[in-house]
Amino acid sequence: MSELVYIGLGANLQSPLATIKLALEELANLPNSEFITVSKIYSSKPMGPADQPDYINAVALIKTELTAHELFKHTCSIEDKHGRTRLGEHWGARTLDLDILLFGQQLINDETLIIPHYGLQQREFVIYPLLDITPDLVLPCSTSVAALTSNIPLNGMTPI
Ligand code: ROI
């Protein structure tokens, strides 16, 4: 059994573009998984405290035989490898953030994971990259991602 999984990547500290490129390679090397594609890579304004650098954002699509919880362990260890700390300010700057946005059509809500990712429908740096990959993407709640763009402006986000 394999699932199509969309993973959001974000970084805004310490050479964020280089970090995102390395993280994409690391996602391509995940066990029991196949890297399918990546969206355009964007520069975006910070959501949250404004006194932090702009972000580099992208979304990757992989196909995996891992479970969501197995994949989550891998994405956490990739974040850790890039010096991610989990003690900073709420919504503060980060070296690397990997968010499992969608895991097939699965709905997961437990003490470790909430999938679809809770911020998905509000975040331009998630919605537009998702549409780069799959313009007709529909969420498990039946909402089409393209329909979300009418309420979510680009907010200055640009492909780099
Ligand atoms: N803002 C942007 N633009 N991109 C992100 O990836 C991002 N990630 C976050 C918060 C702090 C919410 N803001 C962000 O976790």
Side-chain angles (χ1 to χ4, degrees), residues 13-14 19 77-86 94-96:
L13 292 177
Q14 298 172 11
T19 302
S77 74
I78 296 172
E79 286 175 342
D80 292 343
K81 205 174 133 192
H82 288 277
R84 171 78 183 267
T85 57
R86 294 170 202 284
R94 63 254 343 263
T95 50
L96 179 64

Side-chain angles (χ1 to χ4, degrees), residues 10-11 44-48 52 55 57 91-92 94 97 123 125:
S44 66
K45 299 285 166 216
M47 167 179 273
Q52 54 178 320
Y55 278 78
N57 281 113
W91 280 14
R94 63 254 343 263
D97 202 5
R123 298 181 172 189
F125 53 86

Side-chain angles (χ1 to χ4, degrees), residues 9-12 43-49 52-57 84 89-94 97 99 118 123-126 155 157:
L9 300 93
N12 75 338
S43 169
S44 66
K45 299 285 166 216
M47 167 179 273
Q52 54 178 320
D54 286 356
Y55 278 78
I56 300 293
N57 281 113
R84 171 78 183 267
E89 180 188 20
H90 181 59
W91 280 14
R94 63 254 343 263
D97 202 5
D99 291 331
Y118 70 95
R123 298 181 172 189
E124 69 280 4
F125 53 86
V126 171
N155 189 28
M157 186 172 75

Side-chain angles (χ1 to χ4, degrees), residues 80-158:
D80 292 343
K81 205 174 133 192
H82 288 277
R84 171 78 183 267
T85 57
R86 294 170 202 284
L87 301 169
E89 180 188 20
H90 181 59
W91 280 14
R94 63 254 343 263
T95 50
L96 179 64
D97 202 5
L98 296 177
D99 291 331
I100 302 174
L101 302 168
L102 292 169
F103 197 92
Q105 291 292 303
Q106 291 187 32
L107 301 175
I108 301 171
N109 190 338
D110 62 26
E111 56 290 338
T112 23
L113 280 179
I114 300 177
I115 298 174
H117 189 269
Y118 70 95
L120 192 158
Q121 300 203 30
Q122 288 79 42
R123 298 181 172 189
E124 69 280 4
F125 53 86
V126 171
I127 290 172
Y128 291 90
L130 280 172
L131 290 171
D132 286 342
I133 300 176
T134 310
D136 59 355
L137 185 63
V138 177
L139 303 179
C141 63
S142 300
T143 298
S144 92
V145 176
L148 297 170
T149 59
S150 53
N151 297 317
I152 309 289
L154 277 166
N155 189 28
M157 186 172 75
T158 46

Side-chain angles (χ1 to χ4, degrees), residues 28-56:
N29 289 327
L30 286 172
N32 303 327
S33 306
E34 179 192 343
F35 187 90
I36 299 183
T37 193
V38 61
S39 69
K40 291 178 210 165
I41 296 179
Y42 292 91
S43 169
S44 66
K45 299 285 166 216
M47 167 179 273
D51 60 342
Q52 54 178 320
D54 286 356
Y55 278 78
I56 300 293

